[in-house]
Amino acid sequence: MKRILLLCLCLCVAVAGSAKKKEKRAVVCLETSVGLIRVALLDEAPRHRDNFLKLCREGFYDGTLFHRVIKDFMIQGGDPDSRNASPGQELGEGDVGYTLPPEFLLPYYYHTRGALAAAREGDDVNPEQRSSGCQYYIVWGKSWGPQSIRKQRDYLAELGIEMTAQMQADYEQYGGSPHLDGQYTVFGEVIEGLDVVKQIQSVTTDSNDRPLDDVVVLRAVVEQGPRE
């Protein structure tokens, strides 16, 4: 199986705005060796939400690494092969034997800073853009000015994906990775611990983007289930 990679361009993901009852959403706390990251999962992406909750409850993510980190882009985890991996071991191929159909939620949820999304294999071997059953990433991304975001808007338009005025405004204000919109499934957002994400995305990495000093998910704890 080929490595599950994201497009290695400036990325940032944002779950765009909504005053939905956030207290009703499922919440998971990633207890990492650097600090706590709390994520709220989207009811609008039920397959991804339920799969992530199932794996967390089973302890699947406990002891895994953020095995791929790219500064000003994202932090990626969820590879089961990363648990107790040897120093320098190349990672990224681990999976759970199944994939998930995409659940794109444009124009309501998109790639701005703090977005939680599913990694996947590239279009050449995965034209249906199905998500990995376990690997995920959290967007950090970069800031966008009016001119550069217009170029991203035009790029998406060539793919038949519309960037709304609200999306453009959010990318300019918060940053993000609009080139991933409509191609990778966003299924949650960071609600606490963006400072931890910032710290992780700044660590020193090797030629395979693996941190030289392991960043470990000690436990993934479901703190609140989804609303009924």
Side-chain angles (χ1 to χ4, degrees):
M1 177 179 176
K2 296 185 178 180
R3 293 185 71 204
I4 299 170
L5 299 177
L6 301 177
L7 296 176
C8 216
L9 305 174
C10 43
L11 146 12
C12 183
V13 87
V15 180
S18 41
K20 296 182 180 178
K21 299 175 181 176
K22 294 186 177 181
E23 72 277 2
K24 297 294 185 182
R25 296 185 294 180
V27 174
V28 170
C29 181
L30 302 177
E31 301 178 2
T32 81
S33 55
V34 178
L36 303 182
I37 303 172
R38 283 190 171 83
V39 294
L41 308 183
L42 301 179
D43 294 326
E44 296 86 347
R47 293 186 181 90
H48 287 72
R49 177 201 64 193
D50 292 348
N51 180 69
F52 194 71
L53 290 172
K54 172 181 176 291
L55 294 178
C56 289
R57 286 175 172 134
E58 292 174 351
F60 178 88
Y61 291 118
D62 298 358
T64 59
L65 305 180
F66 281 107
H67 66 275
R68 183 168 180 253
V69 171
I70 301 177
K71 184 174 175 59
D72 295 327
F73 183 45
M74 59 87 213
I75 62 176
Q76 182 174 338
D79 181 353
D81 294 342
S82 69
R83 192 180 293 107
N84 300 316
S86 303
Q89 179 181 337
E90 186 173 353
L91 300 168
E93 297 183 3
D95 64 21
V96 285
Y98 61 83
T99 58
L100 301 172
E103 295 179 290
F104 301 141
L105 300 172
L106 295 174
Y108 305 108
Y109 300 100
Y110 38 93
H111 286 80
T112 58
R113 182 165 295 171
L116 170 67
R120 65 173 179 84
E121 293 186 330
D123 290 357
D124 55 337
V125 296
N126 180 28
E128 295 180 350
Q129 300 179 333
R130 295 180 66 90
S131 299
S132 164
C134 58
Q135 293 199 36
Y136 61 92
Y137 61 95
I138 299 173
V139 176
W140 183 255
K142 70 170 193 175
S143 301
W144 297 90
Q147 184 174 355
S148 58
I149 198 60
R150 282 196 294 270
K151 291 180 180 178
Q152 292 297 309
R153 181 191 63 194
D154 294 342
Y155 165 75
L156 290 178
E158 292 177 359
L159 300 177
I161 300 169
E162 178 187 4
M163 179 186 292
T164 65
Q166 183 62 59
M167 292 168 66
Q168 182 169 331
D170 285 343
Y171 280 125
E172 290 185 33
Q173 181 175 359
Y174 303 112
S177 292
H179 64 284
L180 299 179
D181 287 337
Q183 301 171 79
Y184 292 81
T185 295
V186 174
F187 66 96
E189 64 178 326
V190 174
I191 57 173
E192 184 181 333
L194 263 181
D195 58 327
V196 177
V197 178
K198 180 180 181 180
Q199 184 176 349
I200 295 172
Q201 62 90 39
S202 297
V203 302
T204 303
T205 58
D206 64 17
S207 59
N208 293 313
D209 301 316
R210 176 178 168 180
L212 295 181
D213 295 321
D214 287 344
V215 181
V216 186
V217 176
L218 304 173
R219 291 200 308 162
V221 180
V222 178
E223 295 185 333
Q224 180 170 286
R227 58 188 172 189
E228 296 299 328

